[in-house]
Amino acid sequence: MTAPVGKITREDTIKMDGADPIAHLRERFELPEGDIYLDGNSLGALPMGVMERLEVAVKKEWGQGLIRSWNDADWYPAPQRAGAAIARILGADDDEVIVCDSISVNLFKLLVGALRMRMDRKIIVSEIGNFPTDVYINQEVADLMGCELRCVMPEEVEAAISAAGDNLAIVQLTHVHYKTGRIYDMQGITKKVQDLGGLVIWDLAHSAGCLPVQLNDCNADFAVGCGYKYLNGGPGAPAFVFVARRHFEAMDQPLRGWHGHAEPFAFTQEYKPHPTIDQMLTGTASQLATLALETALKVFEDVDMNLLRQKNMALGDLFIALVEQELGGMNFELASPKEAEHRGSQVSLIHEEGYAIMQAVIARGIIGDFRAPDILRFGFASPYVRYIDIWDSIAHLRDVMEMREWDQPKFKERRAVT
Ligand SMILES: *Cc1c(COP(=O)(O)O)cnc(C)c1O
């Protein structure tokens, strides 16, 4: 999709929607009438069919089937089925991904497990400004395992990897940055780390469902990612974890629970890890949440990830062009890379009154989010965001600024979740 030349008009964006080869995907979602939803990067929209699946799961399978449904309704292998559906959009094999727990918990399992594969090495490299949960877990695991965590600025990551040399154990990075949307070179960094004998753990929270990730082509070791953002699995949906098959045998994750056991229903006293990706499980899956995610993933079943990617790049380019065209002199600064290929599926703007401005646009039904201290974040989930939505959002943003609508006490009071 090429952006129109000259001044962009609302008519142009209507034409862009008309030419969009994946416009029909929007019909797969239940979206609130009148709102423009630009926060699929925080909580994905509700896919059609999820409600119905949950109703059957609760009323019939739980209510009537009771305990029998673990077998009769095929509940038990739901984490593997949902994992396989995610593997297909990440360039992994079906049996290298499983759905369970949260990113935080899965990261802990992978970090300790990976460090146990590199016991002679003591350095973990990560990024300053990484998502807080990643930083906390990295630090905790480093302390626990007697390692040193080196957090550096994004542009210094490669140098820090080289500097760690023979002592490099793990590099843990978020592929697409949660605030700025900046993308790391997965293939290049993975190779660099592996050439030094280290292992890489990628956090795909802002990649899964928006970019054509190629885990196996990049020879990735491990990854975690989110079920409730671009994968639309619902609030607090379980996360996923990827382990390259070549590491199945050496992996020794620390949260040993009965579902990770080779024979969970043998009820033995001795722990024996499952030889497959199932070893990453700990306890019983949150079944309703897993079934909701599994159903939500049907959205991606017949979708070319390249088309999704082209669309979110074009939506982001349009947004940036309209910020320049319509919001000049209003003190907005671009916090995301300007070039689409270096940017994930979001555009972030910096403004010192960012919190109040975001509350004021949300009150108009334009839903983005705010990340402290001053970032307004707009996510463009290709399956349901339209080009015209970008035009209308910018028009509302301009009105909010011109009328100083944000400058009211009700928009300045911080709520618990931003
Ligand atoms: C959203 C997000 C998480 C969330 O972690 P949970 O433990 O699943 O809540 C982790 N990392 C990144 C980069 C995120 O964007």
PDB file of all heavy atoms in Angstrom, residues 102-105 130-131 133-134 174 178 203 205-206 226 228-229 239, ligand 1:
ATOM      1  N   SER A 102       2.296 -17.339  32.597  1.00  0.00           N
ATOM      2  CA  SER A 102       2.457 -15.974  32.073  1.00  0.00           C
ATOM      3  C   SER A 102       3.859 -15.857  31.480  1.00  0.00           C
ATOM      4  O   SER A 102       4.697 -16.746  31.674  1.00  0.00           O
ATOM      5  CB  SER A 102       2.296 -14.967  33.210  1.00  0.00           C
ATOM      6  OG  SER A 102       3.288 -15.213  34.190  1.00  0.00           O
ATOM      7  N   ILE A 103       4.133 -14.769  30.790  1.00  0.00           N
ATOM      8  CA  ILE A 103       5.501 -14.536  30.297  1.00  0.00           C
ATOM      9  C   ILE A 103       6.465 -14.549  31.478  1.00  0.00           C
ATOM     10  O   ILE A 103       7.538 -15.166  31.416  1.00  0.00           O
ATOM     11  CB  ILE A 103       5.612 -13.191  29.555  1.00  0.00           C
ATOM     12  CG1 ILE A 103       4.897 -13.266  28.210  1.00  0.00           C
ATOM     13  CG2 ILE A 103       7.081 -12.799  29.359  1.00  0.00           C
ATOM     14  CD1 ILE A 103       5.126 -12.065  27.307  1.00  0.00           C
ATOM     15  N   SER A 104       6.098 -13.845  32.548  1.00  0.00           N
ATOM     16  CA  SER A 104       7.002 -13.736  33.697  1.00  0.00           C
ATOM     17  C   SER A 104       7.434 -15.116  34.178  1.00  0.00           C
ATOM     18  O   SER A 104       8.625 -15.376  34.391  1.00  0.00           O
ATOM     19  CB  SER A 104       6.309 -13.000  34.849  1.00  0.00           C
ATOM     20  OG  SER A 104       5.765 -11.780  34.397  1.00  0.00           O
ATOM     21  N   VAL A 105       6.470 -16.007  34.358  1.00  0.00           N
ATOM     22  CA  VAL A 105       6.772 -17.347  34.874  1.00  0.00           C
ATOM     23  C   VAL A 105       7.574 -18.152  33.843  1.00  0.00           C
ATOM     24  O   VAL A 105       8.556 -18.817  34.186  1.00  0.00           O
ATOM     25  CB  VAL A 105       5.461 -18.073  35.262  1.00  0.00           C
ATOM     26  CG1 VAL A 105       5.719 -19.529  35.615  1.00  0.00           C
ATOM     27  CG2 VAL A 105       4.786 -17.352  36.428  1.00  0.00           C
ATOM     28  N   ASN A 130      14.165  -2.487  29.046  1.00  0.00           N
ATOM     29  CA  ASN A 130      13.374  -3.674  28.719  1.00  0.00           C
ATOM     30  C   ASN A 130      12.086  -3.651  29.548  1.00  0.00           C
ATOM     31  O   ASN A 130      12.008  -2.938  30.563  1.00  0.00           O
ATOM     32  CB  ASN A 130      14.199  -4.930  29.052  1.00  0.00           C
ATOM     33  CG  ASN A 130      13.727  -6.182  28.310  1.00  0.00           C
ATOM     34  OD1 ASN A 130      12.631  -6.195  27.748  1.00  0.00           O
ATOM     35  ND2 ASN A 130      14.527  -7.211  28.333  1.00  0.00           N
ATOM     36  N   PHE A 131      11.089  -4.411  29.161  1.00  0.00           N
ATOM     37  CA  PHE A 131       9.834  -4.461  29.911  1.00  0.00           C
ATOM     38  C   PHE A 131      10.146  -4.839  31.366  1.00  0.00           C
ATOM     39  O   PHE A 131      10.924  -5.759  31.611  1.00  0.00           O
ATOM     40  CB  PHE A 131       8.901  -5.496  29.267  1.00  0.00           C
ATOM     41  CG  PHE A 131       7.497  -5.429  29.788  1.00  0.00           C
ATOM     42  CD1 PHE A 131       6.581  -4.552  29.245  1.00  0.00           C
ATOM     43  CD2 PHE A 131       7.102  -6.238  30.838  1.00  0.00           C
ATOM     44  CE1 PHE A 131       5.277  -4.487  29.733  1.00  0.00           C
ATOM     45  CE2 PHE A 131       5.802  -6.175  31.329  1.00  0.00           C
ATOM     46  CZ  PHE A 131       4.892  -5.297  30.773  1.00  0.00           C
ATOM     47  N   THR A 133       8.931  -6.576  33.815  1.00  0.00           N
ATOM     48  CA  THR A 133       8.909  -7.955  34.307  1.00  0.00           C
ATOM     49  C   THR A 133      10.157  -8.708  33.832  1.00  0.00           C
ATOM     50  O   THR A 133      10.751  -9.496  34.568  1.00  0.00           O
ATOM     51  CB  THR A 133       7.596  -8.669  33.914  1.00  0.00           C
ATOM     52  OG1 THR A 133       7.204  -9.532  34.975  1.00  0.00           O
ATOM     53  CG2 THR A 133       7.691  -9.490  32.639  1.00  0.00           C
ATOM     54  N   ASP A 134      10.598  -8.432  32.617  1.00  0.00           N
ATOM     55  CA  ASP A 134      11.803  -9.082  32.089  1.00  0.00           C
ATOM     56  C   ASP A 134      13.013  -8.679  32.934  1.00  0.00           C
ATOM     57  O   ASP A 134      13.858  -9.513  33.274  1.00  0.00           O
ATOM     58  CB  ASP A 134      12.036  -8.687  30.625  1.00  0.00           C
ATOM     59  CG  ASP A 134      10.876  -9.092  29.703  1.00  0.00           C
ATOM     60  OD1 ASP A 134       9.730  -8.742  30.022  1.00  0.00           O
ATOM     61  OD2 ASP A 134      11.129  -9.769  28.691  1.00  0.00           O
ATOM     62  N   THR A 174      13.786  -8.269  24.276  1.00  0.00           N
ATOM     63  CA  THR A 174      12.430  -8.192  23.736  1.00  0.00           C
ATOM     64  C   THR A 174      12.548  -7.777  22.279  1.00  0.00           C
ATOM     65  O   THR A 174      13.114  -6.721  21.975  1.00  0.00           O
ATOM     66  CB  THR A 174      11.584  -7.204  24.554  1.00  0.00           C
ATOM     67  OG1 THR A 174      11.522  -7.684  25.902  1.00  0.00           O
ATOM     68  CG2 THR A 174      10.176  -7.110  23.999  1.00  0.00           C
ATOM     69  N   TYR A 178       8.422  -2.588  23.815  1.00  0.00           N
ATOM     70  CA  TYR A 178       7.017  -2.322  24.173  1.00  0.00           C
ATOM     71  C   TYR A 178       6.664  -0.841  24.140  1.00  0.00           C
ATOM     72  O   TYR A 178       5.503  -0.487  23.922  1.00  0.00           O
ATOM     73  CB  TYR A 178       6.690  -2.922  25.551  1.00  0.00           C
ATOM     74  CG  TYR A 178       7.196  -2.128  26.734  1.00  0.00           C
ATOM     75  CD1 TYR A 178       6.327  -1.364  27.506  1.00  0.00           C
ATOM     76  CD2 TYR A 178       8.535  -2.144  27.085  1.00  0.00           C
ATOM     77  CE1 TYR A 178       6.783  -0.642  28.591  1.00  0.00           C
ATOM     78  CE2 TYR A 178       8.994  -1.418  28.168  1.00  0.00           C
ATOM     79  CZ  TYR A 178       8.118  -0.660  28.920  1.00  0.00           C
ATOM     80  OH  TYR A 178       8.571   0.060  29.984  1.00  0.00           O
ATOM     81  N   ASP A 203      11.792 -12.362  23.863  1.00  0.00           N
ATOM     82  CA  ASP A 203      10.432 -12.067  24.318  1.00  0.00           C
ATOM     83  C   ASP A 203       9.675 -11.535  23.100  1.00  0.00           C
ATOM     84  O   ASP A 203      10.038 -10.495  22.537  1.00  0.00           O
ATOM     85  CB  ASP A 203      10.477 -11.029  25.449  1.00  0.00           C
ATOM     86  CG  ASP A 203       9.101 -10.745  26.032  1.00  0.00           C
ATOM     87  OD1 ASP A 203       8.096 -10.930  25.313  1.00  0.00           O
ATOM     88  OD2 ASP A 203       9.038 -10.321  27.203  1.00  0.00           O
ATOM     89  N   ALA A 205       6.419 -10.635  22.966  1.00  0.00           N
ATOM     90  CA  ALA A 205       5.129 -10.047  23.376  1.00  0.00           C
ATOM     91  C   ALA A 205       4.544  -9.130  22.302  1.00  0.00           C
ATOM     92  O   ALA A 205       3.339  -9.121  22.077  1.00  0.00           O
ATOM     93  CB  ALA A 205       5.281  -9.291  24.690  1.00  0.00           C
ATOM     94  N   HIS A 206       5.406  -8.359  21.642  1.00  0.00           N
ATOM     95  CA  HIS A 206       4.905  -7.409  20.637  1.00  0.00           C
ATOM     96  C   HIS A 206       5.249  -7.832  19.215  1.00  0.00           C
ATOM     97  O   HIS A 206       5.237  -7.005  18.300  1.00  0.00           O
ATOM     98  CB  HIS A 206       5.418  -5.999  20.952  1.00  0.00           C
ATOM     99  CG  HIS A 206       4.828  -5.463  22.213  1.00  0.00           C
ATOM    100  ND1 HIS A 206       3.615  -4.816  22.253  1.00  0.00           N
ATOM    101  CD2 HIS A 206       5.249  -5.553  23.493  1.00  0.00           C
ATOM    102  CE1 HIS A 206       3.324  -4.512  23.505  1.00  0.00           C
ATOM    103  NE2 HIS A 206       4.298  -4.950  24.284  1.00  0.00           N
ATOM    104  N   CYS A 226       3.118 -13.478  24.466  1.00  0.00           N
ATOM    105  CA  CYS A 226       1.902 -13.130  25.177  1.00  0.00           C
ATOM    106  C   CYS A 226       0.662 -13.629  24.444  1.00  0.00           C
ATOM    107  O   CYS A 226       0.572 -13.530  23.226  1.00  0.00           O
ATOM    108  CB  CYS A 226       1.879 -11.606  25.205  1.00  0.00           C
ATOM    109  SG  CYS A 226       0.817 -10.944  26.438  1.00  0.00           S
ATOM    110  N   TYR A 228      -2.501 -12.461  25.281  1.00  0.00           N
ATOM    111  CA  TYR A 228      -3.615 -11.500  25.355  1.00  0.00           C
ATOM    112  C   TYR A 228      -3.420 -10.227  24.544  1.00  0.00           C
ATOM    113  O   TYR A 228      -4.296  -9.386  24.509  1.00  0.00           O
ATOM    114  CB  TYR A 228      -3.926 -11.138  26.822  1.00  0.00           C
ATOM    115  CG  TYR A 228      -2.775 -10.617  27.644  1.00  0.00           C
ATOM    116  CD1 TYR A 228      -2.352  -9.301  27.555  1.00  0.00           C
ATOM    117  CD2 TYR A 228      -2.112 -11.451  28.541  1.00  0.00           C
ATOM    118  CE1 TYR A 228      -1.299  -8.832  28.313  1.00  0.00           C
ATOM    119  CE2 TYR A 228      -1.053 -10.994  29.310  1.00  0.00           C
ATOM    120  CZ  TYR A 228      -0.644  -9.680  29.195  1.00  0.00           C
ATOM    121  OH  TYR A 228       0.402  -9.223  29.942  1.00  0.00           O
ATOM    122  N   LYS A 229      -2.262 -10.081  23.891  1.00  0.00           N
ATOM    123  CA  LYS A 229      -2.049  -8.868  23.083  1.00  0.00           C
ATOM    124  C   LYS A 229      -2.521  -9.130  21.652  1.00  0.00           C
ATOM    125  O   LYS A 229      -3.712  -9.317  21.438  1.00  0.00           O
ATOM    126  CB  LYS A 229      -0.581  -8.458  23.170  1.00  0.00           C
ATOM    127  CG  LYS A 229      -0.238  -7.961  24.573  1.00  0.00           C
ATOM    128  CD  LYS A 229       1.227  -7.683  24.788  1.00  0.00           C
ATOM    129  CE  LYS A 229       1.429  -7.193  26.223  1.00  0.00           C
ATOM    130  NZ  LYS A 229       2.806  -7.360  26.692  1.00  0.00           N
ATOM    131  N   ALA A 239       0.296 -17.379  28.405  1.00  0.00           N
ATOM    132  CA  ALA A 239       1.392 -17.023  27.509  1.00  0.00           C
ATOM    133  C   ALA A 239       1.849 -18.272  26.754  1.00  0.00           C
ATOM    134  O   ALA A 239       1.283 -19.355  26.914  1.00  0.00           O
ATOM    135  CB  ALA A 239       2.538 -16.447  28.332  1.00  0.00           C
TER     136      ALA A 239
HETATM  137  C1  LIG B   1       3.064  -7.498  28.044  1.00  0.00           C
HETATM  138  C2  LIG B   1       4.470  -7.920  28.245  1.00  0.00           C
HETATM  139  C3  LIG B   1       4.798  -8.889  29.207  1.00  0.00           C
HETATM  140  C4  LIG B   1       3.713  -9.434  30.089  1.00  0.00           C
HETATM  141  O1  LIG B   1       4.144 -10.423  30.953  1.00  0.00           O
HETATM  142  P1  LIG B   1       3.079 -11.334  31.738  1.00  0.00           P
HETATM  143  O2  LIG B   1       3.882 -11.977  32.785  1.00  0.00           O
HETATM  144  O3  LIG B   1       2.539 -12.307  30.739  1.00  0.00           O
HETATM  145  O4  LIG B   1       2.012 -10.438  32.255  1.00  0.00           O
HETATM  146  C5  LIG B   1       6.110  -9.284  29.297  1.00  0.00           C
HETATM  147  N1  LIG B   1       7.064  -8.766  28.487  1.00  0.00           N
HETATM  148  C6  LIG B   1       6.770  -7.822  27.556  1.00  0.00           C
HETATM  149  C7  LIG B   1       7.835  -7.291  26.668  1.00  0.00           C
HETATM  150  C8  LIG B   1       5.474  -7.372  27.429  1.00  0.00           C
HETATM  151  O5  LIG B   1       5.183  -6.426  26.539  1.00  0.00           O
END
